[in-house]
Amino acid sequence: MRFFQAQGRCCGLRWFCCILRSRKNQAGRSIDRNKGLVEQLRHLGIIKSSEVAEVMETVDRGEFVQDSASAYIDSPLRIGYNATISAPHMHAYCLELLKDHLKPGMRVLDVGSGTGYLTACFSLMVGPTGCAVGVEHIPELVVSSLENIKRSGAVELLCGGSLSVHVADGRLGYAELAPFDAIHVGAAAPEHPTALIEQLKPGGRMVIPVGKTFQELKIVDKRLDGSVNISSEIPVRYVPLTSREVQLQGHGPLRM
């Protein structure tokens, strides 16, 4: 009997070690694929700076989507509740547009934070002395995004309090922690939201898709005197920035 018990323990230990090795191998493959994605975006000229390359290598996209097989394809993915995670090239593009407003100690708001991927990237760029705030009006996505962040390279910032995610209507921003040096909006507003412009710090920048049938990615720069300059970047197709109720009823094609 003792022999069989000991044999069972040995088999159990071997099985546990095999599981650990398998998980380590999977993690290694995930890191390699994420680095490959970043290298591809650099080769295409979408990632131009070392800061953006470094943060996108640190925050593994595979930890923020359920289908890890599709995580490293340059395409948007559905995340439930009629929401998507944008394609990696759009994440890189927006990070490049905002990088000068994501220095250590700065404050950033991520509207429609979804999976928490960009919120995590922002938090690493502004660091523990900065403040990265995600707002998302689907409570279930807030819960899952926090779990995603806990698996990521931004977990210490979440635990330290400089990174937070809240259930809120992103169209209204997050006045409690305003003003912000940078604001990123991950859904298309029909027009430029006044509340978000008001929460932008003088000298700050907002990147936001604007439009209904035809959308453009807009850069909103607030000058030091409080005046605003708005310029167009590229045509885009995002899900609409709307109420929770309308979003949950909506059905449409996969968008950025």
Side-chain angles (χ1 to χ4, degrees):
M1 176 66 71
R2 288 179 183 175
F3 169 76
F4 286 111
Q5 287 176 340
Q7 187 181 49
R9 284 195 295 270
C10 288
C11 289
L13 181 61
R14 283 197 298 272
W15 174 81
F16 181 69
C17 289
C18 286
I19 292 293
L20 284 179
R21 282 196 296 270
S22 175
R23 288 181 177 176
K24 286 180 180 179
N25 289 337
Q26 288 176 1
R29 287 195 295 271
S30 176
I31 292 170
D32 289 342
R33 293 178 70 187
N34 192 63
K35 286 185 176 180
L37 172 63
V38 173
E39 284 302 314
Q40 177 187 3
L41 294 173
R42 293 191 79 163
H43 179 73
L44 293 172
I46 298 169
I47 294 179
K48 298 178 174 65
S49 66
S50 58
E51 303 101 299
V52 171
E54 182 178 347
V55 77
M56 288 189 70
E57 283 189 3
T58 302
V59 182
D60 189 337
R61 182 175 163 90
E63 295 172 334
F64 288 80
V65 298
Q66 290 185 343
D67 184 7
S68 58
S70 302
Y72 309 105
I73 298 171
D74 192 15
S75 173
L77 297 172
R78 297 188 188 278
I79 60 173
Y81 309 98
N82 294 314
T84 62
I85 179 174
S86 293
H89 74 270
M90 285 307 304
H91 284 157
Y93 198 84
C94 291
L95 285 167
E96 287 287 350
L97 290 174
L98 289 170
K99 65 180 174 59
D100 292 336
H101 304 270
L102 296 170
K103 301 299 184 184
M106 290 185 170
R107 306 174 76 83
V108 54
L109 175 66
D110 186 18
V111 174
S113 51
T115 65
Y117 174 83
L118 267 188
T119 319
C121 290
F122 293 148
S123 72
L124 287 169
M125 294 180 81
V126 301
T129 60
C131 177
V133 181
V135 291
E136 169 59 56
H137 62 190
I138 305 294
E140 293 86 350
L141 288 179
V142 171
V143 171
S144 62
S145 70
L146 289 170
E147 292 303 313
N148 296 338
I149 292 168
K150 288 175 185 177
R151 294 192 295 268
S152 78
V155 60
E156 291 185 8
L157 297 169
L158 179 66
C159 295
S162 62
L163 164 58
S164 60
V165 185
H166 309 268
V167 179
D169 186 339
R171 296 172 296 179
L172 304 178
Y174 203 72
E176 183 179 338
L177 294 174
F180 300 98
D181 297 279
I183 298 177
H184 167 266
V185 184
E191 56 190 20
H192 303 95
T194 303
L196 296 181
I197 294 175
E198 289 177 350
Q199 291 176 31
L200 194 61
K201 184 184 293 186
R205 168 173 285 189
M206 174 166 63
V207 172
I208 176 172
V210 178
K212 295 180 180 178
T213 304
F214 300 100
Q215 302 172 5
E216 287 186 312
L217 191 66
K218 302 280 190 176
I219 297 177
V220 180
D221 287 312
K222 182 178 281 190
R223 301 185 183 96
L224 294 177
D225 64 4
S227 62
V228 172
N229 180 70
I230 301 175
S231 58
S232 298
E233 275 292 307
I234 55 173
V236 291
R237 290 191 69 196
Y238 277 75
V239 296
L241 183 66
T242 185
S243 68
R244 180 192 312 169
E245 293 74 22
V246 171
Q247 179 175 323
L248 291 175
Q249 293 170 3
H251 299 281
L254 192 60
R255 300 189 177 192
M256 294 176 180

